Amino acid sequence: MTPFTRRTMFAGAAALAATLPTTLEAAAGAAPGITIGVATYSLRKFSRAQAIEMLKKLNVQALSIKEFHLKYSDTAEQTAAGAKEFRDAGFQILSGGNIALTKPDELRKMFEYAKAAGMPMIVCAPAHETLPAVEKLVKEFNIKAAIHNHGPEDKHFPSPQSVLAAVKSMDPRMGLCIDIGHTTRAKADLVASIKEAGARLFDMHAKDLVFENGKWTQVAVGDGNIPIVEMFKTLHALKYKGGVMLEYEINADDPYPGMERSLSYMRGVRAALGA
């Protein structure tokens, strides 16, 4: 008898989602619900044109653009033109990042970059010392800052709780991007963190991990130990309106199969939950 597991419970829904990805994503874009997208860091070994073609095949609509595909060194005109290539291909740019905001003399440049690209939000990694200046720029540019937690190695923001504590008295446009992998490595409860974040949760970076030989290793979403189903249930219950953005960090030279598997699984969970 086949064990009744999280994987088998949603295998049928995931298979259905894999056959109808365009329909599911179109529905997500047209009506309130959980938006599943891609952080283009997943395609860091590929040019902008190559990334666009791969994202089309993946039937993705929502993106978080990484610097590999819109260079910080470009002029404002070049940045705007590059962002237009994504939009002309049918994509919605939800954010840019992850963008380091640790150097005071570079903060304004990064917000000008986001403005030129038409990004409504920056997924960022500031320092505690730069937070007040970041908040001022958030107010000036009306661009949200979603601070990304980076796990136990991050001396500034290892967990969602460390971000929430830092922004609790700040402008409501100062919030959190939960990286579910780094949250797990930081030994924070993912579902509890989502509930705790509430309206400060602006974005999520999705991946999956297994714990083997004393360390965490990334795998395709649905193949690991992170409670993906419970995460989607919680997001659905809280009427979360942000993105769940696949950040596939492994197999950089050939990420497509793992990305397709991950997106199909997440779409299947979303479909099964009616989210």
Side-chain angles (χ1 to χ4, degrees), residues 30-51:
I34 298 172
T35 297
I36 294 172
V38 166
T40 73
Y41 180 78
S42 308
L43 299 170
R44 57 197 175 277
K45 291 291 188 75
F46 300 88
S47 69
R48 180 162 65 224
Q50 290 171 320

Side-chain angles (χ1 to χ4, degrees), residues 143-193:
I143 294 174
K144 289 182 178 181
I147 300 172
H148 183 289
N149 65 291
H150 269 103
E153 301 86 1
D154 185 350
K155 65 180 181 179
H156 296 289
F157 300 108
S159 67
Q161 288 71 26
S162 60
V163 176
L164 295 173
V167 303
K168 64 181 179 180
S169 299
M170 289 187 162
D171 188 275
R173 289 164 291 188
M174 297 285 289
L176 168 65
C177 171
I178 289 182
D179 183 298
I180 71 176
H182 293 316
T183 295
T184 300
R185 293 193 310 106
K187 299 181 179 180
D189 184 298
L190 173 60
V191 172
S193 297

Side-chain angles (χ1 to χ4, degrees), residues 12-262:
L16 173 63
T19 63
L20 295 172
T22 304
T23 302
L24 286 170
E25 282 303 297
I34 298 172
T35 297
I36 294 172
V38 166
T40 73
Y41 180 78
S42 308
L43 299 170
R44 57 197 175 277
K45 291 291 188 75
F46 300 88
S47 69
R48 180 162 65 224
Q50 290 171 320
I52 286 172
E53 290 308 307
M54 294 171 76
L55 291 163
K56 284 181 179 179
K57 291 179 182 178
L58 289 166
N59 292 295
V60 171
Q61 290 189 339
L63 303 178
S64 181
I65 306 295
K66 184 62 178 175
E67 193 263 346
F68 298 102
H69 305 115
L70 280 179
K71 299 294 185 184
Y72 298 149
S73 58
D74 284 350
T75 65
E77 292 75 18
Q78 289 172 322
T79 299
K84 186 175 183 295
E85 289 182 33
F86 282 104
R87 294 192 176 94
D88 287 348
F91 301 111
Q92 179 185 10
I93 300 175
L94 297 187
S95 65
N98 195 346
I99 298 175
L101 296 178
T102 56
K103 298 180 180 180
D105 59 346
E106 294 183 357
L107 300 181
R108 177 169 291 276
K109 176 184 177 181
M110 293 297 97
F111 275 83
E112 289 173 345
Y113 162 83
K115 180 181 178 180
M119 296 170 178
M121 179 169 65
I122 293 175
V123 175
C124 58
H128 284 283
E129 295 77 15
T130 58
L131 271 186
V134 170
E135 183 185 23
K136 288 180 180 179
L137 290 165
V138 162
K139 293 176 180 178
E140 177 183 340
F141 285 84
N142 191 27
I143 294 174
K144 289 182 178 181
I147 300 172
H148 183 289
N149 65 291
H150 269 103
E153 301 86 1
D154 185 350
K155 65 180 181 179
H156 296 289
F157 300 108
S159 67
Q161 288 71 26
S162 60
V163 176
L164 295 173
V167 303
K168 64 181 179 180
S169 299
M170 289 187 162
D171 188 275
R173 289 164 291 188
M174 297 285 289
L176 168 65
C177 171
I178 289 182
D179 183 298
I180 71 176
H182 293 316
T183 295
T184 300
R185 293 193 310 106
K187 299 181 179 180
D189 184 298
L190 173 60
V191 172
S193 297
I194 292 169
K195 293 177 180 177
E196 184 179 350
R200 293 280 186 179
L201 180 59
F202 296 165
D203 194 31
M204 300 190 71
H205 279 183
K207 58 195 66 168
D208 209 348
L209 307 175
V210 293
F211 193 74
E212 295 178 333
N213 301 318
K215 65 178 182 178
W216 290 103
T217 302
Q218 191 175 151
V219 292
V221 177
D223 290 343
N225 303 136
I226 294 180
I228 303 297
V229 174
E230 291 78 5
M231 177 188 81
F232 272 96
K233 285 181 179 178
T234 303
L235 293 172
H236 182 46
L238 294 174
K239 296 181 172 60
Y240 172 70
K241 302 302 182 188
V244 178
M245 314 301 283
L246 175 65
E247 188 177 45
Y248 191 77
E249 298 176 318
I250 54 176
N251 304 321
D253 292 326
D254 185 23
Y256 188 93
M259 292 178 69
E260 184 177 44
R261 181 178 177 88
S262 298

